[in-house]
Amino acid sequence: MTGGSRGIGKATALGFASAGADIAIDSRKLPDLEQVADEIKGLGRKALPVSAHIGRLDEIKSLVQTVCQEFGKIDILVNNAGTSPAMSPMLELEERLWDSIMNLNLKGVIFLSQAVARVMKEHGGGKIINVASVAAFRHETHVGVYSISKAALVMATRIMAQEWAEYNIRVNAIAPGHIHTRLGDSIFEAVPEYEEEFLKRVPMGRIGDPDEIVGAMIYLASDASSYVTGETILVDGGTLTT
Ligand SMILES: NC(=O)c1ccc[n+]([C@@H]2O[C@H](COP(=O)([O-])OP(=O)(O)OC[C@H]3O[C@@H](n4cnc5c(N)ncnc54)[C@H](OP(=O)(O)O)[C@@H]3O)[C@@H](O)[C@H]2O)c1
């Protein structure tokens, strides 16, 4: 579970632990991970907190090695870590912002998936779940590069699903709508008037909670979705119906 220290990643890690999984959780800050690991252990499961920057390929490599040393194999990978969708109109876009978003949201996801898929292939299969966004399908104001990264992730999900089906690896994605997390709330903090405008376009009339993503995660991680691969499931309060 990347980005397991807070928000959607933490809710999912605790949901998976409640469902009986042992979990390695990653983010850049070990102390935050250790707190979540204690909560997972409190649910009676094993937890391995590992600090790694998912935008850096050397750190991805050592993350996978560490997890395999501890658990022997990896059955499920959740590519959840994502950068804050910094506000930048395309006319102001700088290379540094492009690189930081793309390195984490796309390049890191692809190379971590590749490294983990090699392990899964050796052990007879597995499931990979990518966290995309409604922004993959409808661009929101000033988060152009974030939207591009998530749209590419939806396509990467299909490509990996198609190529790795023969190894019994299923690859799917979840596209959350707006969810109350540090990342989600940062958009409304940067542009306060945007929240009211945004909510008008959510038929359910509210922002989602990280716990509301967990059911779809468990579905994709379990045999309940045994004939599903290459799919992206929207969990968005109906946002994309408007
Ligand atoms: N919240 C929303 O409205 C929303 C909507 C659609 C999609 N999403 C997607 O959902 C995913 C989770 O976001 P969230 O809303 O739960 O955000 P969040 O609460 O800000 O959590 C982000 C997590 O990712 C970790 N992280 C950030 N940069 C990292 C890096 N370079 N390497 C490893 N870990 C890193 C963070 O820990 P550290 O900072 O300590 O590393 C944290 O654990 C993201 O992919 C996001 O794009 C969110």
Side-chain angles (χ1 to χ4, degrees):
M1 165 70 58
T2 69
S5 63
R6 59 174 189 266
I8 292 169
K10 177 182 174 182
T12 303
L14 294 175
F16 279 7
S18 299
D22 296 328
I23 306 169
I25 43 172
D26 148 84
S27 79
R28 290 166 301 178
K29 298 182 198 90
L30 198 55
D32 295 351
L33 289 172
E34 282 166 346
Q35 283 184 15
V36 179
D38 286 344
E39 290 186 53
I40 293 170
K41 288 175 196 161
L43 293 166
R45 304 310 313 179
K46 253 171 93 171
L48 176 67
V50 190
S51 157
H53 187 309
I54 298 300
R56 298 184 185 147
L57 299 197
D58 54 335
E59 295 191 29
I60 284 178
K61 201 175 157 195
S62 59
L63 169 66
V64 176
Q65 278 170 353
T66 306
V67 175
C68 286
Q69 268 161 17
E70 182 67 23
F71 290 110
K73 61 176 183 156
I74 301 171
D75 297 320
I76 301 159
L77 165 67
V78 181
N79 284 306
N80 166 74
T83 64
S84 170
M87 299 285 141
S88 174
M90 294 302 268
L91 269 181
E92 318 294 328
L93 177 63
E94 290 179 8
E95 186 181 8
R96 209 162 60 87
L97 180 66
W98 171 273
D99 286 344
S100 71
I101 293 176
M102 285 297 180
N103 282 350
L104 177 59
N105 291 12
L106 191 60
K107 184 175 151 189
V109 172
I110 288 170
F111 282 96
L112 177 58
S113 299
Q114 180 199 61
V116 173
R118 288 174 177 162
V119 176
M120 289 174 169
K121 184 182 163 198
E122 267 178 43
H123 289 88
K127 295 117 191 167
I128 298 175
I129 304 168
N130 297 321
V131 181
S133 169
V134 286
F137 303 101
R138 187 173 67 196
H139 162 52
E140 297 296 341
T141 315
H142 296 340
V143 294
V145 184
Y146 178 79
S147 302
I148 292 167
S149 74
K150 296 297 188 180
L153 183 56
V154 169
M155 179 54 78
T157 300
R158 290 186 196 143
I159 292 167
M160 293 188 283
Q162 192 252 322
E163 291 195 9
W164 298 342
E166 66 176 299
Y167 309 122
N168 193 31
I169 300 169
R170 293 193 290 110
V171 187
N172 290 290
I174 293 174
H178 212 108
I179 306 295
H180 268 309
T181 64
R182 190 181 298 178
L183 183 152
D185 294 346
S186 70
I187 300 175
F188 297 141
E189 279 156 21
V191 190
E193 63 278 11
Y194 183 48
E195 180 162 2
E196 201 183 318
E197 183 200 318
F198 181 85
L199 279 175
K200 283 186 199 147
R201 290 188 274 123
V202 182
M204 288 183 72
R206 64 178 176 84
I207 302 300
D209 186 83
D211 288 334
E212 295 182 286
I213 306 296
V214 179
M217 289 278 193
I218 289 177
Y219 169 67
L220 291 177
S222 72
D223 287 345
S225 59
S226 55
Y227 197 49
V228 179
T229 198
E231 186 57 82
T232 297
I233 299 180
L234 287 163
V235 185
D236 70 344
T239 304
L240 280 196
T241 61
T242 59

